[in-house]
Amino acid sequence: MATCVGRIVVQASQRNCAFLMVSAQNKLANRRQLATKKLLTVGRLESPKQQGKYVTGQLFLHRIFGYRGILLFPWLARLYDRDVAGNKQASPPLTAETGEHVHTDNKEVKGKTHIYYQVLIDSRDCPFITEAVTFLGNQDNNRSLYAIPGLDYVAHEDILPYSTTEKNPIQHELFDKFLEQNSGLDPNFVAKDTLKAWQEKNHPWLELSDVHRETTENVRVTVIPFYMGARVSQDSSVYWWRYCIRLENLGEETVQLRERHWRIFSLSGTLETVRGRGVIGQEPILSKEQPAFQYSSHVSLQAPSGHMWGTFRIEKSNGQTFDCRIPPFTLESKQDDQPNPHGFFG
């Protein structure tokens, strides 16, 4: 699931009120050119929150990818940021420490809590952002892989809040099922009972718990793993995870991802090495105009837990290459409490 970058433009009106405008750039399948869509006014910019958190129903534009969306509910994740101590371009200060640690390459990384949000992506922007939540059906003899398109996880600092007078500002098949308008509140969209029930029912597959981040030569890699479910039988057990990866170019020089090198360790004692060209069939270019690329992939183990780490081979504009570290992350399974996590959509 690849993500291409949109653009956000803040324009001042004659009354000196800032309006948000968005244009999306669609990377064609053959990657021969970029087709720029028209500029659209979407609403009135609000001041981003430096403290506290946004609430359900807040409209926003994604600071990096530029898509329109609406917040469903927050997650409190543990962010293991290997750049906080020495990287001046690291994210804003985080909240209270969790006290948990990760030990990798003889370097101790202390986890700190950070706010992320579950969001709906406007379907008009989905051709440019293909994020989805995937999980396994857990019924007997059911080996289906379910996908809920147009769902993403967004860090607090990537939210650009805005307001609008539109009655239906977000187009998504779940918008009317999850949210309703209440003109007396700000924001004026509130959660329906169906959203609360859906969150509780699908919590094991939606939950965001750990986020890992590391920068190598101005290329920052962020990894978020998600447990998807398991196939357990008398003969064998297979556990599945999805992992979402974002690469960001924090520098001025254009670079391109050329290769990936993964190491996958299972609690069963196996260690697998995976090498290949690009990611998901692409070799994304990270430039000043399009500084970020995001994709999701999947991994399975024959044990309930394991670890993954590795490198991306990055090529500079002068042809030189370097290995960009992928921060190590843990794959942990969870209790399958619900017999059919897809039930709400069935």
Side-chain angles (χ1 to χ4, degrees):
M1 301 177 185
T3 297
C4 295
V5 180
R7 288 184 177 178
I8 301 171
V9 179
V10 180
Q11 178 171 301
S13 71
Q14 293 180 349
R15 295 184 179 180
N16 201 30
C17 295
F19 288 84
L20 285 173
M21 309 181 78
V22 60
S23 70
Q25 292 182 321
N26 180 17
K27 182 172 286 188
L28 302 181
N30 58 16
R31 303 179 70 249
R32 288 181 299 184
Q33 61 179 342
L34 289 173
T36 302
K37 301 302 180 181
K38 65 180 181 180
L39 203 63
L40 299 173
T41 301
V42 298
R44 187 184 300 272
L45 177 68
E46 298 178 351
S47 297
K49 289 181 180 291
Q50 301 300 320
Q51 302 293 333
K53 65 177 183 290
Y54 300 101
V55 299
T56 297
Q58 176 64 62
L59 295 166
F60 74 96
L61 290 182
H62 196 292
R63 181 180 63 88
I64 301 296
F65 298 119
Y67 63 73
R68 289 161 284 188
I70 191 166
L71 303 186
L72 297 182
F73 45 81
W75 291 108
L76 198 59
R78 293 185 300 271
L79 174 59
Y80 297 98
D81 192 340
R82 299 168 67 88
D83 303 327
V84 168
N87 183 4
K88 296 181 180 180
Q89 301 186 60
S91 298
L94 307 178
T95 58
E97 299 175 358
T98 64
E100 298 200 23
H101 299 71
V102 172
H103 297 267
T104 55
D105 299 332
N106 297 320
K107 182 177 181 180
E108 184 182 50
V109 182
K110 178 175 283 190
K112 296 184 178 181
T113 57
H114 195 56
I115 298 173
Y116 280 73
Y117 300 94
Q118 189 92 57
V119 307
L120 286 183
I121 303 171
D122 194 303
S123 61
R124 292 167 293 185
D125 298 332
C126 279
F128 319 114
I129 178 104
T130 53
E131 281 308 301
V133 168
T134 53
F135 52 85
L136 296 175
N138 203 25
Q139 298 177 358
D140 293 339
N141 301 319
N142 182 351
R143 297 183 177 275
S144 299
L145 174 66
Y146 294 108
I148 309 173
L151 282 173
D152 199 5
Y153 296 80
V154 183
H156 181 84
E157 64 271 16
D158 286 338
I159 297 292
L160 287 179
Y162 73 91
S163 59
T164 182
T165 57
E166 292 185 49
K167 293 183 178 180
N168 297 294
I170 300 297
Q171 294 183 14
H172 191 286
E173 62 178 345
L174 297 177
F175 181 81
D176 290 333
K177 294 181 181 180
F178 285 169
L179 300 155
E180 60 186 353
Q181 193 170 29
N182 186 327
S183 58
L185 298 177
D186 183 23
N188 59 6
F189 291 96
V190 296
K192 290 184 175 180
D193 290 340
T194 49
L195 174 59
K196 300 172 184 176
W198 178 79
Q199 178 188 6
E200 181 178 354
K201 185 179 183 66
N202 294 283
H203 186 277
W205 329 107
L206 297 173
E207 183 181 9
L208 181 155
S209 56
D210 294 346
V211 180
H212 302 265
R213 189 159 63 195
E214 184 170 3
T215 300
T216 307
E217 295 195 33
N218 286 322
V219 176
R220 183 164 65 189
V221 177
T222 303
V223 184
I224 308 177
F226 299 91
Y227 179 59
M228 293 174 56
R231 298 291 182 210
V232 179
S233 67
Q234 292 182 345
D235 298 328
S236 64
S237 298
V238 180
Y239 300 81
W240 288 85
W241 290 265
R242 176 174 71 97
Y243 54 92
C244 179
I245 292 186
R246 182 197 296 185
L247 294 99
E248 295 178 73
N249 184 357
L250 305 179
E252 298 292 326
E253 181 181 5
T254 297
V255 298
Q256 185 169 10
L257 188 156
R258 290 299 192 184
E259 300 176 3
R260 69 188 184 279
H261 177 202
W262 281 107
R263 304 275 281 178
I264 306 168
F265 175 77
S266 172
L267 188 62
S268 63
T270 61
L271 178 62
E272 182 181 2
T273 298
V274 178
R275 292 181 181 270
R277 295 288 297 182
V279 290
I280 60 170
Q282 300 185 51
E283 297 179 23
I285 297 173
L286 306 178
S287 64
K288 189 174 181 179
E289 292 74 27
Q290 291 198 85
F293 181 84
Q294 182 170 301
Y295 74 97
S296 292
S297 191
H298 305 89
V299 63
S300 64
L301 301 177
Q302 293 183 328
S305 65
H307 298 272
M308 287 182 66
W309 68 97
T311 56
F312 292 122
R313 179 62 55 86
I314 304 294
E315 182 177 328
K316 298 181 179 181
S317 55
N318 61 7
Q320 295 181 349
T321 62
F322 65 93
D323 286 334
C324 178
R325 290 183 296 275
I326 304 171
F329 57 97
T330 301
L331 303 172
E332 293 288 351
S333 60
K334 303 170 185 176
Q335 182 65 36
D336 295 358
D337 295 326
Q338 301 298 332
N340 180 18
H342 191 66
F344 179 79
F345 300 94

